[in-house]
Amino acid sequence: MGIFQRIFQKEDLERYLQKDSHFERTLSAIDLIALGIGAVIGTGIFILPGTVAATKAGPGIILSFVLAAIVCAVAAMCYAEFASVLPIAGSAYSYGNIVYGEMIGWIIGWALVLEYVLAVATVAVGWAAYFNSFIAGFGLKLPKAITGSFDPTHGTYINVVAILIICLIAWIIDTGLKTSIRLNNIIVVVKLAIIVLFLLVGSFYVKPSNWTPFAPFGGTGILKGAAVVFFAYLGFDAVSSSAAEVKNAKRNMPIGIIGTLVICTIFYILVSGVLTGMVSYKQLNVDDAVAFALQLVHQNFVAGIISIGALAGMFTMMVTMIYSSSRLLYSIGRDGLLPRFLGKIDKHHAPKNAMLTVTIVISILAGLIPLDQLANLVNIGTLIAFAFVSFGILLLRRNPKLNAIKGFRVPLYPVLPIISGLLCLFMMTQLSMETWLASLAWFVLGLVIYFSYGIRHSRMNKTDD
């Protein structure tokens, strides 16, 4: 077989289903929605509506969230079709292997590794900062040396809190999926309850005059706002990583993915409306817009509770992304493109080796390495996966065997998948040159690994294991 044929050889769905049969199917549609909300609604809901309203959209931030949700909804429907027809672990990586071929699947998987690992590391650093501020309110303070990345000139050597929260979440997930999902569901409910508390309290202080002018920066400002808040929705795709562990995946996966987007959109719109109604958009360009608005109306106690909501939001986001990244790494190891020990399932029906590897890598990043300049790479990794999944629907439908499988279908085919793919490519053009250069270096490294290791150890179409 020639090299060109080899790298574009497509994976067999039946082999994936056989390998993934070792997982227990325990997740319901409610569990999936909770995972999705946990990933999507983090600290951004307490910050983004204010800063984007102040600098780009004014009260029209409400429409910015609607427009961004429409863009995401199309990509979400593409994910829902794949997850319904191909209920396997690995999300877009595995979909890519089946409809594009091995090398494209690897590129998608490598992009997702970038998204998941950096997202968790960045949020862990943010969680640690919030936690340190929270305990400072009780007069407690950790030594400076253990509160930041390795930077001796500024007196910090390791971020112990960030490492501990990553290890704690990984341990919770590894002790049992049912337990970790139950805990995640409880914390998601707490987080949403805190947001509802803000909406109820804040609604009493809304002044309709603050919504005028509604679009002070014009329609262009609303569009620019949509481009920024688009990234507030990223994370719903992580739900598809769990497909091999979902009961009745054909029905529940689309409900989980699309349900996540609908609920998150409603909360983003409501928070934006109440926030810009409480305070003039001109005053909202602050790091803690929701807490700031509550303090202005002398609701300091509720503002304090918002800090707990922020911690809960980041915690559930890390739960979803650590869980998803371990399943992604398992999938790549399962296929032999990374060391095969990553693709092993233990007696508790969990990919323990993949989880341990993910935990170590993320802990090193969060505990020792400054992440300020790397956070934007999360966005480009996500958008690359979105684009491939969107265009991949065209190949999925052209495959008679796969197209015959009953499941959710993207409406208005082929128009919506093409629009979704083009919108993702457009969003990628909005990222900085530094982000593009850093991602180029990441993908060059990925291709070196693939051609030096992955292609020689691939289990493609082999059944001797």
Side-chain angles (χ1 to χ4, degrees):
M1 183 182 294
I3 184 68
F4 186 81
Q5 289 176 297
R6 180 68 189 82
I7 64 177
F8 289 105
Q9 187 179 9
K10 296 173 182 176
E11 185 55 84
D12 178 53
L13 174 60
E14 294 304 319
R15 189 182 81 87
Y16 273 169
L17 291 172
Q18 181 182 359
K19 291 288 288 184
D20 292 349
S21 64
H22 299 295
F23 284 112
E24 278 190 300
R25 293 190 177 272
T26 59
L27 302 181
S28 66
I30 298 297
D31 295 330
L32 292 176
I33 290 173
L35 275 173
I37 293 173
V40 174
I41 296 184
T43 51
I45 197 167
F46 304 116
I47 302 168
L48 268 181
T51 55
V52 177
T55 60
K56 290 182 171 60
I61 180 68
I62 295 169
L63 293 182
S64 295
F65 273 111
V66 172
L67 290 174
I70 291 171
V71 174
C72 281
V74 187
M77 285 190 284
C78 294
Y79 266 93
E81 177 165 339
F82 265 113
S84 176
V85 174
L86 311 176
I88 50 180
S91 184
Y93 158 74
S94 295
Y95 308 154
N97 271 348
I98 289 174
V99 300
Y100 288 107
E102 185 175 82
M103 189 180 77
I104 299 298
W106 165 260
I107 290 172
I108 297 171
W110 197 238
L112 289 176
V113 169
L114 185 71
E115 174 195 351
Y116 293 165
V117 169
L118 281 182
V120 177
T122 304
V123 173
V125 171
W127 196 94
Y130 262 86
F131 179 80
N132 290 334
S133 297
F134 183 72
I135 63 173
F138 297 94
L140 301 173
K141 189 176 181 181
L142 295 174
K144 185 178 180 181
I146 61 172
T147 59
S149 58
F150 186 77
D151 187 2
T153 58
H154 289 89
T156 58
Y157 293 87
I158 188 170
N159 194 330
V160 169
V161 174
I163 292 174
L164 288 177
I165 190 61
I166 291 166
C167 292
L168 174 63
I169 291 172
W171 176 76
I172 291 170
I173 296 172
D174 197 48
T175 54
L177 185 59
K178 287 183 181 179
T179 303
S180 59
I181 290 297
R182 193 176 299 121
L183 176 63
N184 180 74
N185 293 356
I186 292 170
I187 298 177
V188 165
V189 170
V190 170
K191 173 170 63 175
L192 294 183
I194 290 172
I195 296 171
V196 169
L197 175 65
F198 163 71
L199 295 173
L200 291 174
V201 173
S203 62
F204 287 101
Y205 298 93
V206 167
K207 298 177 182 176
S209 60
N210 284 329
W211 289 327
T212 305
F214 185 73
F217 302 96
T220 304
I222 291 174
L223 290 173
K224 287 182 178 179
V228 174
V229 302
F230 170 83
F231 299 109
Y233 288 102
L234 301 187
F236 70 82
D237 56 307
V239 175
S240 62
S241 297
S242 62
E245 295 166 271
V246 177
K247 294 181 288 188
N248 193 4
K250 291 184 185 301
R251 170 185 173 273
N252 288 334
M253 288 305 302
I255 293 174
I257 293 171
I258 297 172
T260 292
L261 203 60
V262 170
I263 293 171
C264 292
T265 299
I266 291 170
F267 274 103
Y268 277 134
I269 290 171
L270 290 175
V271 169
S272 299
V274 170
L275 183 62
T276 54
M278 289 175 67
V279 182
S280 169
Y281 71 90
K282 297 175 183 177
Q283 297 178 264
L284 290 174
N285 191 19
V286 293
D287 291 336
D288 53 351
V290 168
F292 171 75
L294 288 167
Q295 288 165 354
L296 279 183
V297 296
H298 309 295
Q299 290 290 337
N300 294 325
F301 177 73
V302 180
I305 293 177
I306 292 298
S307 296
I308 299 175
L311 286 170
M314 288 186 278
F315 185 92
T316 57
M317 183 274 183
M318 287 187 284
V319 169
T320 302
M321 300 305 263
I322 290 175
Y323 163 76
S324 300
S325 57
S326 67
R327 271 51 183 176
L328 171 65
L329 214 59
Y330 151 79
S331 301
I332 300 175
R334 168 197 65 191
D335 297 338
L337 301 185
L338 286 177
R340 291 187 63 205
F341 79 91
L342 296 171
K344 301 296 183 183
I345 302 292
D346 68 9
K347 62 182 180 180
H348 300 296
H349 308 283
K352 193 178 190 70
N353 295 335
M355 176 63 76
L356 181 62
T357 303
V358 162
T359 305
I360 292 171
V361 171
I362 297 174
S363 295
I364 292 171
L365 287 172
L368 297 171
I369 300 174
L371 297 169
D372 299 347
Q373 302 304 316
L374 298 178
N376 281 334
L377 288 173
V378 174
N379 298 331
I380 200 165
T382 306
L383 288 170
I384 287 170
F386 276 20
F388 274 117
V389 167
S390 299
F391 291 128
I393 293 294
L394 306 178
L395 299 177
L396 183 71
R397 296 281 185 98
R398 288 175 57 189
N399 185 312
K401 182 179 177 181
L402 299 179
N403 195 38
I405 301 174
K406 292 183 179 179
F408 176 82
R409 289 289 186 267
V410 178
L412 300 179
Y413 172 87
V415 176
L416 281 188
I418 292 173
I419 289 175
S420 175
L422 293 176
L423 285 172
C424 292
L425 295 178
F426 169 73
M427 295 301 297
M428 288 166 64
T429 66
Q430 304 302 299
L431 299 172
S432 67
M433 181 57 68
E434 291 80 5
T435 300
W436 277 97
L437 291 174
S439 64
L440 180 63
W442 174 257
F443 286 108
V444 168
L445 173 62
L447 289 174
V448 169
I449 293 173
Y450 175 71
F451 284 106
S452 63
Y453 180 91
I455 197 169
R456 293 189 295 112
H457 294 84
S458 171
R459 305 302 302 167
M460 179 77 77
N461 294 328
K462 293 181 181 180
T463 56
D464 58 342
D465 56 330

